[in-house]
Amino acid sequence: MGTRSVNKGLTAGMDKIGFLARAIINQAAVVCDFCLRTNWSRPFLVLIEPTLRCPMSCKFCDLPNDWAFPRECELSLEQWVDILRGLKKWSSLVREIYVSGGEPFYRPDMMDLLERAHQIGIATRLSTIGAFCSKVLCDRLLLSPVKWLKFSIHSANPAVHDDLVGRPVFERAIEAIRYLKARGYSGNIGILTTVYEGNVRELGDIVRLAQRLGVESVFFRPLFGNTTAARVFDRPALPDPSCRIRETSILQAAVEELKEMRQYGMPVANTDEQLDLVVKQSLGLNEGVSGCKMMYESIYIHPDGTVEICGHMSLGLVGNVAQRPVGEVLSSSESYRVRHSVSRTCRCQGNAFVRKTFRDKVSTVLDILRPPR
C-alpha cells in the first residue's frame, strides 16, 4: 500500500473519530438543553420538503393537493443547494437529510437536488409513492448514492392500495422496486404502510410481499387524527371515516402476527412497543409521550425555506433560511425560545414512532461512519 493511500486512510479514520466525539458531545448538550434550558445543542436531523405538491388523493393525508400549493412558493434548485451548503458549514453533524413532500419526484429537478447534496457531502433518504419511478428515473437512481428509498405501499392488493391513494400507481411502484433490485441497487429500499380499515386483514401479506421483493424493511404507522387537506393544525380534523378500523380484535391479531414475523427475521421494522401503539391509536388510548428532546435534535424546512422545530406538529417557526443565513436562523435566541417553550410539554401522538433509542442512535452513527460506496 502506498504512502498516499495510508495517509488517506488515516485522515478518514481521524475524521470518523472526530465526528463520533462531536456527536457524543452534542447528545450531552441535547440533554442539558432539555433539562437545564441551556443553548448548547445543534440540530442534526434535517427533514426538507422541496414541494408539497402531489398528484395523489390519499384519504389519510394531511398535505394539500397539487393545485393548493403553488409552484411559486417553492425554492429553486440553487436555493436548496445553498441551504444545504449552509447546513453543512454550520454543523458537521449534518451528514444526511430526509427528503419528503408532497411527492418529491413531482419536481422534475429532484434527482439534480439529490445528486448535488451528495456532491457537498450530505447523504439522502427519500420517501415516494412511486408514481414517477419510470425506468429512466430508476436508471438514474441506480447511479445515485441515495442511501434510503422508501415507498408508500399500503396493501399487497393493487385495488385496495390504489383506492386508498386515489390513483392506479401500485404496479408502477412494485415494478420500480423489482427493477432496482434486479440491477443491483446498492441503497436500502423500504416500505411505509399506514394501517387502516382497508388493509388491516392483510398486514402480514404486505410483509410477505416485501420479503419476496427483497425489501429491507416495512414500517407500519397508525392512522393519526390530526390530518387536514390544507395542513392547518390549529383546528381539529379527522381522516376519511372509511379509513377507521371497525374491529380492533382483527387489528390486535394482525399486530401479534407482525411481532411473530419479526422474531422469525422477516422485514418488520417496528418495535413491539410501536406495534402496540398502533392498536392504542385505533382505540383512542395513545396519549403520546410527555416531553420531547427531538426539539433539540431536528428541524423541518418548508418548501419556501421557513424552518419549524418539528415536522409533525406546528409548534413554532424560527425563521427562514432562504432569507437569512442558516447558522443565524438556527442559532438565534428565537430558535431556542421556541424549543424551550414546548420541549417539556409536547405530547405528540407520533412521538414514539420517531424518537430514537440509544441503541438506534448508535446504529445510526455507525451507519453514517461506514465508508461511502
Side-chain angles (χ1 to χ4, degrees):
M1 181 181 294
T3 304
R4 182 175 298 179
S5 298
V6 172
N7 290 338
K8 185 176 180 180
L10 289 173
T11 300
M14 292 300 294
D15 178 64
K16 291 179 180 180
I17 293 173
F19 170 79
L20 184 59
R22 290 190 296 272
I24 293 172
I25 292 170
N26 195 67
Q27 277 299 298
V30 167
V31 174
C32 288
D33 283 358
F34 181 79
C35 297
L36 305 175
R37 295 184 183 275
T38 53
N39 294 340
W40 295 338
S41 66
R42 291 195 172 192
F44 56 92
L45 300 173
V46 180
L47 167 67
I48 71 170
E49 290 187 341
T51 183
L52 287 181
R53 292 177 293 134
C54 182
M56 314 309 294
S57 300
C58 301
K59 295 179 180 178
F60 58 82
C61 191
D62 63 347
L63 298 175
N65 292 319
D66 57 346
W67 59 83
F69 194 88
R71 187 190 302 263
E72 298 76 42
C73 295
E74 299 173 5
L75 300 179
S76 68
L77 169 64
E78 291 303 326
Q79 286 176 303
W80 277 112
V81 172
D82 286 343
I83 289 170
L84 296 183
R85 285 200 186 101
L87 284 167
K88 183 72 174 177
K89 181 178 179 180
W90 178 68
S91 175
S92 61
L93 295 178
V94 178
R95 292 206 169 188
E96 63 181 31
I97 56 171
Y98 298 79
V99 185
S100 186
E103 166 54 49
F105 290 124
Y106 203 74
R107 284 186 62 140
D109 61 357
M110 180 50 58
M111 282 303 308
D112 295 322
L113 177 56
L114 299 176
E115 290 165 357
R116 295 283 292 277
H118 286 275
Q119 289 172 7
I120 61 178
I122 297 180
T124 55
R125 299 176 179 235
L126 182 137
S127 297
T128 179
I129 193 69
F132 297 97
C133 289
S134 64
K135 287 185 178 180
V136 172
L137 190 143
C138 286
D139 283 339
R140 200 165 172 186
L141 281 168
L142 286 168
L143 298 174
S144 78
V146 176
K147 181 180 286 188
W148 265 99
L149 186 62
K150 187 173 290 186
F151 288 83
S152 293
I153 296 177
H154 309 284
S155 175
N157 183 325
V160 173
H161 171 81
D162 292 344
D163 176 70
L164 176 68
V165 302
R167 299 284 190 279
V169 297
F170 177 87
E171 295 297 347
R172 170 62 68 89
I174 298 302
E175 181 183 346
I177 294 174
R178 288 196 177 111
Y179 188 87
L180 291 168
K181 283 293 184 179
R183 286 157 181 78
Y185 180 70
S186 58
N188 293 303
I189 295 179
I191 287 176
L192 175 65
T193 298
T194 298
V195 181
Y196 77 110
E197 174 63 23
N199 67 6
V200 67
R201 293 165 179 79
E202 56 171 280
L203 302 185
D205 291 339
I206 297 173
V207 177
R208 283 183 277 272
L209 170 64
Q211 189 169 51
R212 291 195 300 272
L213 293 170
V215 168
E216 280 77 7
S217 68
V218 183
F219 190 85
F220 294 92
R221 64 180 290 259
L223 192 69
F224 291 112
N226 62 330
T227 60
T228 172
R231 183 174 263 185
V232 178
F233 291 100
D234 59 357
R235 64 171 183 243
L238 299 174
D240 188 309
S242 67
C243 293
R244 292 189 178 186
I245 297 172
R246 300 184 184 90
E247 298 183 44
T248 309
S249 59
I250 295 176
L251 173 59
Q252 183 66 65
V255 162
E256 293 305 317
E257 181 186 19
L258 294 179
K259 291 179 182 179
E260 185 175 350
M261 295 175 90
R262 185 162 59 83
Q263 290 177 356
Y264 282 98
M266 297 186 74
V268 178
N270 301 73
T271 64
D272 284 356
E273 177 190 17
Q274 290 169 339
L275 290 171
D276 288 337
L277 277 173
V278 173
V279 180
K280 288 185 177 181
Q281 182 72 20
S282 177
L283 292 171
L285 300 177
N286 178 15
E287 297 181 353
V289 180
S290 180
C292 182
K293 296 184 181 68
M294 292 290 288
M295 312 299 172
Y296 305 105
E297 297 178 342
S298 64
I299 57 170
Y300 157 51
I301 307 179
H302 289 254
D304 65 353
T306 303
V307 179
E308 278 197 65
I309 59 171
C310 178
H312 301 275
M313 301 292 289
S314 184
L315 299 175
L317 305 177
V318 299
N320 188 299
V321 289
Q323 300 171 359
R324 295 164 55 200
V326 170
E328 184 179 317
V329 171
L330 299 182
S331 301
S332 66
S333 58
E334 176 64 13
S335 176
Y336 281 100
R337 185 195 67 77
V338 173
R339 290 188 173 96
H340 294 328
S341 69
V342 297
S343 62
R344 299 185 188 181
T345 58
C346 179
R347 190 179 284 272
C348 170
Q349 292 179 333
N351 186 295
F353 292 90
V354 297
R355 64 165 46 190
K356 303 289 186 182
T357 64
F358 177 76
R359 183 176 180 180
D360 291 333
K361 291 175 180 178
V362 171
S363 177
T364 299
V365 169
L366 293 176
D367 187 39
I368 292 173
L369 292 179
R370 289 192 185 96
R373 58 183 174 87

